[in-house]
Amino acid sequence: MSMNQTFKRLLASTLAVGLISSQVAVTSFAAPKETKKKDPNFNLSLMHINDTHARLDNVAKRVTAIKEVRAAKPDALLLDAGDVFSGSLYFNEFKGQADLEFMNLLDYDLMTFGNHEFDLGSSPEGHQALADFVKNADFPFVSTNVDFSKDEKLSPLYKEQYASNPKDSKIYPSVIKRVNGEKVGFIGLTTEETADISSPEAVEFQNYIEEAQKAVKELEERDVNKIVAITHLGFDDNPQYDNDLELAKYVDGIDVIVGGHSHTQLNAPVVVSADENGEQKDSTVIVQAYQYSEYLGTLDVQFDKKGKVISQSGKLIEIKSKSEDPEAAELLKKYSNKINEIKNMPTGGFAENALEAPRLSTSPISVRAHELPIGNLITDGMLDKAKDYNPNVVMAFQNGGGIRATIDQGEITYGDVLTTLPFGNTLATMKLTGAEIKEALEHSVSQAPGENGGFLHVSGMKFTYDSRNAAGNRVLSMDVKNADGTFTAINPAQEYVIATNAFTAKGGDGFTVFKNAYEQGRVTDLGASDWENLRDYVAELVNVNPVVEGRIVDVGR
């Protein structure tokens, strides 16, 4: 091969290598394919429920509703805002364990405590049922303003530090959960009014705003900028105690409030964007899902990268419109069969007309604001039973908040009575002066024409008041009924023996005047259960037909 040929081949080879190199270089530096940018915003989906009060007859439909939401939104969290306890035969018989089996089946994520979770505190067993409920739960609890330290059954279940990896069957002051890689903080708040309207005994309740502020600050120090408060405060309840609207105004950093206690039906979320001074603040979204497992609440919230709520949407899903989940329906039978046995036992009484126990949300009159036949029946039965123990008893009082259901026309069963008076309160007698009776009645009508759980239905007396007057100065007249059916004005200086339930006698529903009498040894607990008293009384009457008699008259309406 000549020198010239060798050079040509070498040149050709060099050019070929250069061409290949050039092609590789072009390929390696070509513009990358367009990729989808990561959304800097974060979406949080929640399911929420509150105030089920052991109403389990529709639980198989609740299971279906929750499964349907999870199928569409697998990352949605399921939260309970309290009051699983008290209010139905399921609770009377199973003390929360029936409810818990379905909550475990549904894989609840978190729950806070309602006031009714503490109803059994004054029973001989104390808070054993609540402790068992927590111990057997396949989910953790969050409770920020409740002090369990003095209760021997609950204190071992409480952990004093926040949890980033919360364990089932434990109670934490705050919880951090990771959702799609993002930290979401949770706190839980229970109304301080629990001390008045339940039986917490050694369990104490701290100021909700102060404790929430501390918990939010602690979460923010741990780089949590998305915070959900699960609350049992009431949406717009008495602000002298607590409510969600006040919480949203006074505590910065709470993005979502999942509420309960007031049984409010919020068909769409309520957004609070002004603080206590009316100044603009980051939005707080409030939701609540009515009562008795009639609705499942859903909420979708979008946060920006700084944790600020930038959009939200929510709705209530009607449970009764769903079909029953077959597995849940079968599981319910082991509880419902027992309940049906109890429900159907006749008392021997027959209601000639329905004995209504309405609320203002659905009626112009309320069991917590007006004299009603059912209140007259219950107090007449209390007075009748109390006289068996002490013939000097002349009056009886029943708090409207303790009357929980209507008795339908027809045969009155054990189920009717137990559902109407579900708390198992015992009958008590108390010595009060006429002046103290007036103080109690003033408290009874202090919120009129609005509702008050402490509104007193009465027997053996009548009184008038004017709701236009200032609270504390409304009662105009009080008369005690004599043996011959006539009435005599109550003497402020004279002592009278009255009957009420032990809950009210100890100061429940804010009756300080009763609490003072109790602490001074003027109360005798007779031990007779309220529902048993009513059962016996309707059996004694046979034909039950109480009417409104003008026992309680508001001259201002």
Side-chain angles (χ1 to χ4, degrees):
M1 183 180 296
S2 68
M3 178 75 68
N4 190 43
Q5 288 175 319
T6 302
F7 177 79
K8 286 181 178 180
R9 287 188 180 184
L10 183 60
L11 179 61
S13 175
T14 302
L15 288 172
V17 171
L19 181 60
I20 293 171
S21 299
S22 175
Q23 288 172 338
V24 171
V26 169
T27 300
S28 62
F29 287 99
K33 291 182 180 180
E34 187 175 345
T35 58
K36 188 176 180 180
K37 291 183 178 179
K38 183 180 178 182
D39 187 350
N41 300 323
F42 171 71
N43 297 293
L44 177 66
S45 293
L46 302 175
M47 293 179 281
H48 59 95
I49 198 162
N50 57 277
D51 297 281
T52 54
H53 286 289
R55 306 297 176 98
L56 286 176
D57 287 335
N58 69 350
V59 72
K61 294 184 177 184
R62 190 201 314 176
V63 171
T64 297
I66 290 170
K67 284 185 174 181
E68 287 177 354
V69 174
R70 280 218 177 103
K73 302 171 185 176
D75 297 317
L77 303 179
L78 179 55
L79 311 176
D80 194 298
D83 271 8
V84 171
F85 276 25
S86 294
S88 84
L89 292 172
Y90 286 100
F91 182 76
N92 286 56
E93 188 67 20
F94 302 110
K95 300 296 185 291
Q97 292 303 309
D99 304 80
L100 188 62
E101 181 154 8
F102 291 98
M103 295 174 78
N104 287 341
L105 174 70
L106 285 165
D107 195 22
Y108 273 58
D109 287 283
L110 277 172
M111 176 180 168
T112 199
F113 298 101
N115 53 290
H116 283 290
E117 266 70 70
F118 301 95
D119 279 349
L120 299 180
S122 61
S123 68
E125 297 80 17
H127 289 302
Q128 187 61 54
L130 180 56
D132 290 341
F133 185 81
V134 173
K135 288 176 186 176
N136 294 329
D138 293 341
F139 52 87
F141 296 77
V142 61
S143 185
T144 307
N145 72 320
V146 182
D147 182 357
F148 299 94
S149 64
K150 297 174 184 175
D151 186 276
E152 61 180 11
K153 292 181 171 66
L154 295 172
S155 59
L157 305 173
Y158 182 74
K159 303 300 178 184
E160 294 186 0
Q161 298 296 324
Y162 85 99
S164 57
N165 185 26
K167 301 192 182 305
D168 297 342
S169 312
K170 300 296 181 186
I171 307 167
Y172 299 93
S174 61
V175 165
I176 300 172
K177 294 180 76 73
R178 283 196 174 270
V179 181
N180 289 329
E182 292 280 340
K183 292 180 181 179
V184 181
F186 294 86
I187 65 174
L189 300 167
T190 303
T191 176
E192 290 181 76
E193 197 176 7
T194 301
D196 293 332
I197 61 177
S198 188
S199 301
E201 302 301 302
V203 178
E204 297 177 351
F205 300 82
Q206 299 160 336
N207 182 269
Y208 74 119
I209 289 175
E210 293 175 3
E211 296 305 313
Q213 287 172 334
K214 288 191 288 188
V216 167
K217 181 180 178 183
E218 185 177 74
L219 288 170
E220 290 176 338
E221 288 173 350
R222 288 169 171 78
D223 298 322
V224 178
N225 62 9
K226 293 169 280 292
I227 297 175
V228 177
I230 312 173
T231 72
H232 199 85
L233 304 174
F235 173 67
D236 54 358
D237 261 24
N238 187 346
Q240 292 181 354
Y241 279 101
D242 36 41
N243 70 42
D244 291 332
L245 291 173
E246 295 295 294
L247 178 68
K249 289 190 298 185
Y250 278 90
V251 182
D252 294 334
I254 295 178
D255 302 294
V256 176
I257 297 173
V258 173
H261 186 49
S262 55
H263 297 217
T264 305
Q265 184 175 327
L266 294 180
N267 293 314
V270 171
V271 179
V272 175
S273 54
D275 65 15
E276 69 275 18
N277 299 313
E279 301 292 333
Q280 192 75 16
K281 64 176 282 293
D282 290 347
S283 295
T284 300
V285 182
I286 306 176
V287 294
Q288 193 175 148
Y290 193 43
Q291 64 183 8
Y292 304 156
S293 188
E294 293 185 22
Y295 294 95
L296 172 68
T298 62
L299 177 67
D300 293 290
V301 184
Q302 188 174 61
F303 298 84
D304 65 15
K305 62 183 180 181
K306 294 182 179 180
K308 181 179 178 179
V309 174
I310 56 175
S311 69
Q312 54 76 28
S313 64
K315 65 179 181 178
L316 301 183
I317 297 171
E318 191 174 41
I319 299 294
K320 71 178 183 181
S321 67
K322 302 298 179 182
S323 60
E324 290 190 340
D325 178 82
E327 178 189 359
E330 186 63 30
L331 181 60
L332 182 63
K333 288 180 181 178
K334 73 176 183 179
Y335 300 108
S336 61
N337 288 344
K338 176 66 174 176
I339 296 306
N340 289 333
E341 289 178 18
I342 301 170
K343 272 183 178 180
N344 296 326
M345 289 176 60
T347 62
F350 184 91
E352 295 186 9
N353 297 288
L355 303 173
E356 303 284 349
R359 296 287 299 274
L360 289 181
S361 58
T362 56
S363 168
I365 57 175
S366 170
V367 72
R368 301 185 182 203
H370 301 85
E371 178 190 349
L372 291 173
I374 195 168
N376 291 348
L377 174 68
I378 292 169
T379 51
D380 286 350
M382 295 168 72
L383 185 57
D384 183 69
K385 179 66 73 172
K387 283 181 176 291
D388 289 344
Y389 292 87
N390 183 347
N392 295 320
V393 178
V394 292
M395 289 174 259
F397 301 147
Q398 166 67 43
N399 59 316
I403 303 174
R404 305 299 285 195
T406 291
I407 295 177
D408 293 330
Q409 182 183 24
E411 183 179 67
I412 301 173
T413 65
Y414 273 57
D416 294 327
V417 173
L418 278 161
T419 305
T420 299
L421 296 174
F423 302 128
N425 286 314
T426 52
L427 186 64
T429 58
M430 185 187 319
K431 294 178 181 178
L432 296 173
T433 64
E436 288 175 317
I437 291 172
K438 182 179 186 296
E439 186 178 344
L441 296 179
E442 289 285 5
H443 178 69
S444 168
V445 298
S446 62
Q447 297 180 38
E451 293 182 317
N452 177 12
F455 176 82
L456 294 176
H457 296 266
V458 301
S459 179
M461 72 162 299
K462 63 181 181 179
F463 73 99
T464 64
Y465 72 100
D466 190 339
S467 60
R468 296 169 299 186
N469 292 346
N473 190 33
R474 292 182 166 186
V475 176
L476 305 177
S477 67
M478 308 180 298
D479 297 275
V480 62
K481 191 173 185 178
N482 303 312
D484 62 0
T486 61
F487 287 85
T488 302
I490 292 175
N491 183 343
Q494 185 176 331
E495 187 175 76
Y496 300 86
V497 183
I498 69 100
T500 187
N501 60 62
F503 166 75
T504 308
K506 294 178 181 179
D509 276 330
F511 282 98
T512 305
V513 61
F514 292 164
K515 181 180 180 182
N516 292 339
Y518 177 78
E519 292 174 347
Q520 292 166 15
R522 290 187 274 144
V523 172
T524 301
D525 192 327
L526 303 178
S529 173
D530 55 4
W531 75 268
E532 292 175 317
N533 299 336
L534 182 57
R535 175 200 63 190
D536 295 344
Y537 188 60
V538 298
E540 179 185 322
L541 293 176
V542 182
N543 294 314
V544 179
N545 190 28
V547 295
V548 172
E549 302 174 353
R551 299 182 186 185
I552 306 169
V553 176
D554 179 6
V555 301
R557 297 194 212 206

